[in-house]
């Protein structure tokens, strides 16, 4: 029995490496990094974040959550129809190929896959291509329970990942306002991959193991598959800083995931609840996206040039500015006692004292604070600040 399970784990990993979604997700992450660096150099004449950040984050940030979901999936015995995973693969592949990143929320992709599976069963549709054959199944026999539960868990992870995004350095860019001025906006685009172990009907592992799996879909033998669940998120932020707005979006999505999970558990007693839960989940996720997009349709910008001083658009990682605790959205009023409003004035004031940098800063709460840091001659033109000021694009 143990040897069979080990063989199944190796086989599951091999199936994962053969999944085309894995490779197109990698290509998309590389393209996102390339495109971001290109825009950074266009607006600020330098790269702000390492170009491979999106690719590394795609796997680094998702696998701990994937491990938790895998343990739940295997421990409880959440059996997923193989045809469902094939449809989900096709939807994820198409979304990545067309660059529809926001459509890659799990509630969208998993609900669409569920709808497709239901329609195939209701209308007796079937598809065959090469060695792949797709036929509908009756979701009311147990599949809707596992699908809804796994959707809820995936949406919870989506909310957590969105919240974590706020702690990263997000690329600023310059935007011309309707009044002919220039302001700073922030763009974040992420594609995460969660390698999750699922149980599918198969012929390798018997159901003789006590209490496993609980949701058998009428089968007595099962197999393991390591499946790449893709989560996409894209947002342009104007009115609020990323560190303020992204946690709000993350909390909203996290709460939605919890509600979907509750609906999935309830569908064990009444399968119809699962369908209703997924439909309402899609509607609420759309409302969340529309609400925060509508909020940013405004002439009010969180970061814009100001007569009060030099407004910080971004602080580069591991820079003297970061060590001084400077944050995006704060306004530097004085450098070594000299009032400034532009980047040129900032560095001219820095050169007046070759070994010391003392700043008077107006923070995000409009309160004045002082900060200082020892600098070196080579640091004068690279202390790690990007300022919001009019530029020629």
């Amino acid at each position: 029995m143990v040897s069979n399970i080990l063989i199944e784990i190796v086989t599951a990993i091999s199936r994962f490496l053969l999944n085309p979604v894995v490779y197109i997700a990698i290509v998309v992450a590389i393209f996102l990094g390339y495109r971001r660096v290109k825009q950074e150099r266009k607006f600020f004449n330098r790269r702000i974040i390492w170009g491979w950040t999106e690719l590394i984050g795609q796997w680094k940030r998702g696998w701990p959550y994937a491990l938790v979901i895998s343990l739940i999936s295997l421990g409880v015995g959440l059996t997923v129809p193989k045809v469902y995973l094939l449809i989900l693969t096709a939807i994820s592949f198409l979304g990545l190929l067309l660059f529809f990143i926001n459509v890659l929320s799990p509630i969208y992709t998993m609900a669409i896959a569920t709808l497709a599976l239901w329609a195939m069963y209701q209308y007796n549709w079937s598809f065959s291509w090469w060695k792949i054959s797709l036929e509908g199944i009756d979701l009311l026999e147990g599949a809707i329970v596992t699908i809804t539960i796994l959707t809820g868990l995936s949406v919870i992870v989506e909310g957590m990942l969105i919240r974590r995004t706020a702690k990263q350095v997000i690329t600023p860019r310059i935007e011309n306002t309707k009044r002919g001025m220039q302001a700073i906006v922030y763009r974040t685009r992420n594609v995460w991959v969660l390698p999750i172990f699922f149980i599918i009907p198969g012929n390798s592992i018997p159901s003789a193991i006590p209490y496993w799996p609980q949701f058998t879909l009428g089968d007595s033998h099962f197999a393991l598959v390591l499946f790449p669940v893709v989560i996409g998120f894209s947002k342009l932020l104007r009115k609020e800083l990323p560190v303020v707005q992204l946690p709000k979006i993350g909390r909203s999505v996290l709460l939605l995931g919890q509600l979907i999970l509750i609906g999935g558990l309830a569908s064990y007693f009444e399968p119809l609840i699962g369908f209703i839960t997924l439909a309402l989940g899609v509607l609420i996720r759309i409302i969340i996206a529309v609400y925060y997009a509508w909020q940013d349709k405004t002439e009010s910008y969180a970061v814009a040039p100001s007569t009060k001083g030099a407004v910080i658009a971004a602080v580069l990682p591991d820079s003297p500015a970061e060590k001084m605790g400077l944050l995006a959205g704060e306004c530097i009023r004085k450098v070594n006692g000299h009032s400034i409003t532009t980047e040129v004035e900032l560095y001219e004031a820095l050169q007046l004292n070759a070994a010391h940098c003392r700043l008077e800063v107006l923070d995000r709460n409009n309160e004045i604070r002082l900060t200082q840091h020892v600098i070196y001659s080579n640091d004068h033109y690279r202390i790690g600040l990007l300022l919001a000021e009019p530029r020629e694009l």
Side-chain angles (χ1 to χ4, degrees):
M1 178 64 68
V2 175
S3 61
N4 287 344
I5 294 177
L6 292 176
I7 293 173
E8 268 303 298
I9 292 175
V10 174
T11 305
I13 295 173
S14 65
R15 293 190 185 110
F16 177 83
L17 296 175
L18 291 174
N19 196 312
V21 170
V22 173
Y23 301 100
I24 191 172
I26 291 173
V27 171
V28 169
I30 294 173
F31 176 73
L32 288 175
Y34 166 78
R35 187 172 177 179
R36 173 183 53 75
V37 170
K38 187 176 180 180
Q39 289 186 346
E40 289 171 352
R41 287 176 173 158
K42 172 185 176 182
F43 293 113
F44 298 100
N45 299 318
R46 65 172 300 162
R47 186 197 72 190
I48 301 175
I49 314 173
W50 192 36
W52 297 98
T53 301
E54 282 80 1
L55 179 59
I56 294 174
Q58 181 179 86
W59 300 91
K60 180 180 178 181
R61 298 187 182 95
W63 77 263
Y65 301 112
L67 178 60
V68 173
I69 296 179
S70 295
L71 292 175
I72 294 173
S73 173
L74 299 179
V76 177
L78 300 178
T79 311
V80 182
K82 181 179 179 180
V83 63
Y84 174 80
L85 294 181
L86 291 173
I87 296 173
L88 188 57
T89 296
I91 294 170
S92 300
F93 186 89
L94 187 62
L96 288 167
L97 188 65
L98 298 178
F99 213 63
F100 291 161
I101 294 179
N102 274 335
V103 178
L104 294 173
S105 170
I107 183 58
Y108 297 149
T109 56
M110 293 184 174
I112 293 172
T114 304
L115 178 62
L117 199 55
W118 173 84
M120 290 171 62
Y121 177 77
Q122 287 293 118
Y123 299 102
N124 198 27
W125 295 339
S126 62
F127 304 93
S128 296
W129 179 75
W130 196 39
K131 296 182 180 181
I132 300 175
S133 178
L134 302 180
E135 295 181 358
I137 64 169
D138 187 0
L139 294 172
L140 295 177
E141 291 185 355
I144 190 62
V145 179
T146 60
I147 288 173
T148 309
I149 290 175
L150 291 171
T151 301
L153 292 172
S154 299
V155 174
I156 288 174
V157 171
E158 179 190 8
M160 292 180 175
L161 289 171
I162 293 173
R163 291 174 65 178
R164 288 189 63 183
T165 301
K167 299 178 182 179
Q168 304 165 24
V169 179
I170 297 176
T171 299
R173 57 184 294 178
I174 300 172
E175 180 176 270
N176 293 320
T177 69
K178 295 179 181 179
R179 298 179 182 178
M181 307 291 288
Q182 289 184 342
I184 300 295
V185 298
Y186 297 88
R187 164 69 76 180
T188 178
R189 288 192 180 99
N190 296 277
V191 174
W192 300 289
V193 177
L194 276 59
I196 301 176
F197 277 101
F198 289 129
I199 305 168
I200 61 173
N203 56 6
S204 299
I205 305 175
S207 60
I209 301 176
Y211 310 111
W212 184 91
Q214 293 183 11
F215 304 96
T216 64
L217 304 181
D219 293 89
S220 58
H221 285 75
F222 306 92
L224 296 180
V225 60
L226 185 60
F227 185 82
V229 173
V230 178
I231 299 178
F233 177 71
S234 176
K235 187 73 176 74
L236 183 67
L237 303 101
R238 294 185 178 91
K239 187 176 180 180
E240 294 180 316
L241 288 163
V243 73
V244 176
Q245 188 175 107
L246 291 181
K248 294 180 182 178
I249 300 175
R251 283 193 296 269
S252 300
V253 175
L254 180 61
L255 178 59
L256 173 60
Q258 293 171 348
L259 294 175
I260 295 173
L261 180 59
I262 293 173
L265 296 174
S267 65
Y268 177 75
F269 304 98
E270 176 50 61
L272 185 60
I273 296 177
F275 290 99
I276 297 173
T277 298
L278 292 178
L280 290 177
V282 170
L283 179 61
I284 295 173
R285 186 65 182 89
I286 292 174
I287 291 173
I288 292 172
V290 171
Y291 173 76
Y292 285 102
W294 174 79
Q295 267 200 338
D296 283 316
K297 297 291 184 180
T298 176
E299 279 296 298
S300 175
Y301 289 80
V303 178
S306 172
T307 57
K308 296 179 181 180
V311 179
I312 302 173
V315 178
L316 302 185
D318 303 319
S319 64
E322 186 180 63
K323 295 174 183 177
M324 283 188 280
L326 298 177
L327 301 171
E330 294 186 325
C331 178
I332 302 174
R333 299 181 60 181
K334 293 183 179 181
V335 177
N336 291 332
H338 296 269
S339 298
I340 67 158
T341 56
T342 67
E343 185 176 21
V344 172
E345 293 175 350
L346 183 148
Y347 287 111
E348 287 178 349
L350 280 178
Q351 292 182 76
L352 296 177
N353 190 329
H356 191 69
C357 176
R358 181 179 174 85
L359 306 181
E360 180 183 299
V361 180
L362 190 66
D363 67 16
R364 295 168 178 171
N365 298 319
N366 289 320
E367 296 179 355
I368 296 177
R369 66 182 177 88
L370 299 176
T371 183
Q372 57 187 6
H373 183 69
V374 176
I375 59 174
Y376 303 95
S377 58
N378 293 333
D379 288 334
H380 288 157
Y381 289 95
R382 54 183 181 87
I383 65 170
L385 282 177
L386 297 179
L387 302 179
E389 58 182 10
R391 301 169 186 262
E392 292 185 5
L393 302 180

